[in-house]
Amino acid sequence: MTTPLGRRLAARIAAEGPIGLDAYMAACLFDPEHGYYTTAPVFGGAGDFITAPEISQMFGELIGLSLGQAWRDQGAPGRIALAELGPGRGVLMADLWRAAGKVAGFRDAADLWLLEASPRLAAIQAERLAAAAPRFLADAAALPEAPLYLVANEFFDALPIRQFLRTPEGWAETVVGLGPEGALRPGRVPVAAGLPRAIAARTRATPPGTILEHCAAAPAIIAEIAGRIARHGGAALIIDYGGWDGAGDTLQALARHRPADPFAAPGTADLTAHVDFAPLAAAARAAGAEASGPVAQGRFLERLGIGLRAEVLARGLTGAALAAHRAATARLTGAEEMGTLFKVLAIHPRGAPPPPGLAPEDTAEDGPPA
Ligand code: SAH
């Protein structure tokens, strides 16, 4: 094996047998000693991938204005929780917080809560956001009982998944076992019992060859968020790479901005799976809230006025800086770039309009309009 974590996982598999993709992802991303998020530099041009807030300050600013406006539209409640799941280097929240300063009273009403599994990233967030005095959540269940205004960008795609293949004989699960010379290798084992209910209950046709993925953690986290929004008001924006009721193998590894083999060098690449928004919307509705969208990120940002904001910022720029700013705007909104691959799901109280950036026509019980 090529990495210390790989050697450790190989020893565990040799002793105990193959492990599920969920256990494998959790180890690769968050092993305390060798996990990707616990050790690697990860973000930005020098890292392995770049996220929307790292591309342009406009991303966090517009999200701040959307949540700030939702707060005003709901009567500007006092003592609210402003929260982010998986804040990375804290860039999104720093931009959001600055822009939210333009919404009179919002920052004074807000207590800032962050959910972060990586102690190294939590330290970076605490430093960057010191002026907002953030507090850290042990898990989503620890969110305060208060009106909740929340954002999560590229958080749900890092949650461990299980993966199931329909075979002529029944369902099989993808597991990580050992190949020749002790290398980690994906394989499949029949599922005797214990197929997750969400998979068993899928009504869409599943002919042999169909692969379905299941993220057990996501609906549970959504239920915590949506429950608070249903009881106290608020709004959540969930932004990620994904689709609706999808099928197929979406596990992917990214190292140095390039696709990598997810099993070759555990702990050294980012591992993600596409987010299926259908179970998230269902979990929000089951918890008593409304879900709107998902809508394409490009459309969401355009509705929030990214064109105008981009022009204002462009006025102060020339030469290479201006070109970089134009490229960043196109990257966030362009159809061939992040504009349609990334989607935004909103959670808001029943009977209240969705937060700005989403429109009532984005909403449908059985999924977003095509
Ligand atoms: N939102 C940031 C970072 C995205 S990377 C951005 O857009 O730039 C994913 C982030 O989620 C990282 O901060 C990672 O450490 C965190 N994360 C992933 N899974 C988590 C979990 N189960 N609990 C808490 N934080 C998690």
Side-chain angles (χ1 to χ4, degrees):
M1 268 328 295
T2 49
T3 65
L5 179 60
R7 281 190 287 278
R8 192 136 56 69
L9 287 172
R12 172 176 163 195
I13 292 165
E16 299 170 14
I19 59 174
L21 270 191
D22 50 353
Y24 180 71
M25 271 182 92
C28 287
L29 295 180
F30 288 107
D31 180 82
E33 219 186 325
H34 300 296
Y36 179 72
Y37 282 111
T38 29
T39 60
V42 296
F43 303 104
D48 293 298
F49 62 102
I50 190 159
T51 59
E54 304 269 351
I55 290 172
S56 168
Q57 69 187 71
M58 296 184 290
F59 188 76
E61 289 172 349
L62 293 170
I63 288 168
L65 293 178
S66 173
L67 292 181
Q69 187 62 44
W71 172 75
R72 280 175 55 158
D73 291 344
Q74 295 175 9
R79 293 273 55 84
I80 62 166
L82 174 65
E84 181 172 3
L85 310 183
R89 300 197 312 142
V91 173
L92 193 167
M93 186 50 75
D95 294 333
L96 186 163
W97 187 256
R98 195 180 55 252
K102 302 242 174 354
V103 180
F106 182 80
R107 292 201 320 200
D108 288 338
D111 292 320
L112 180 58
W113 295 93
L114 308 176
L115 177 64
E116 175 53 64
S118 158
R120 197 181 56 83
L121 289 173
I124 295 173
Q125 293 154 17
E127 193 182 325
R128 176 161 283 145
L129 301 168
R135 275 179 280 174
F136 287 88
L137 296 159
D139 53 41
L143 280 164
E145 286 294 338
L148 173 63
Y149 297 83
L150 177 142
V151 62
N153 184 58
E154 293 210 49
F155 167 80
F156 284 91
D157 68 354
L159 298 180
I161 56 153
R162 293 172 71 188
Q163 196 186 70
F164 300 91
L165 168 72
R166 179 98 204 193
T167 75
E169 292 78 41
W171 289 95
E173 177 166 8
T174 306
V175 292
V176 183
L178 295 179
E181 283 140 40
L184 297 186
R185 191 171 72 172
R188 294 223 163 79
V189 296
V191 180
L195 191 67
R197 237 185 339 149
I199 297 285
R202 280 272 292 244
T203 47
R204 77 207 300 288
T206 51
T210 304
I211 291 177
L212 295 181
E213 293 175 339
H214 176 63
C215 177
I221 294 172
I222 292 290
E224 297 291 345
I225 296 167
R228 282 166 184 73
I229 290 173
R231 288 190 290 278
H232 310 289
L237 295 169
I238 311 293
I239 307 151
D240 236 305
Y241 189 14
W244 187 270
D245 223 6
D249 173 10
T250 76
L251 182 72
Q252 65 176 31
L254 216 54
R256 308 265 152 230
H257 302 274
R258 288 170 190 280
D261 175 349
F263 306 102
T268 65
D270 186 39
L271 278 188
T272 60
H274 292 190
V275 171
D276 186 355
F277 287 99
L280 304 196
R285 292 191 179 114
E290 186 52 272
S292 289
V295 65
Q297 173 176 301
R299 187 179 299 176
F300 170 78
L301 295 173
E302 275 153 15
R303 283 178 180 155
L304 291 172
I306 193 170
L308 278 175
R309 182 68 185 134
E311 285 317 309
V312 170
L313 290 174
R315 276 184 219 143
L317 301 172
T318 54
L322 179 59
H325 169 62
R326 296 253 184 257
T329 310
R331 192 150 175 209
L332 288 181
T333 57
E336 299 305 311
E337 308 203 50
M338 298 177 87
T340 50
L341 295 175
F342 281 77
K343 302 190 172 60
V344 186
L345 180 80
I347 302 170
H348 52 97
R350 273 189 197 146
L358 286 100
E361 67 261 27
D362 299 329
T363 307
E365 279 289 332
D366 55 352

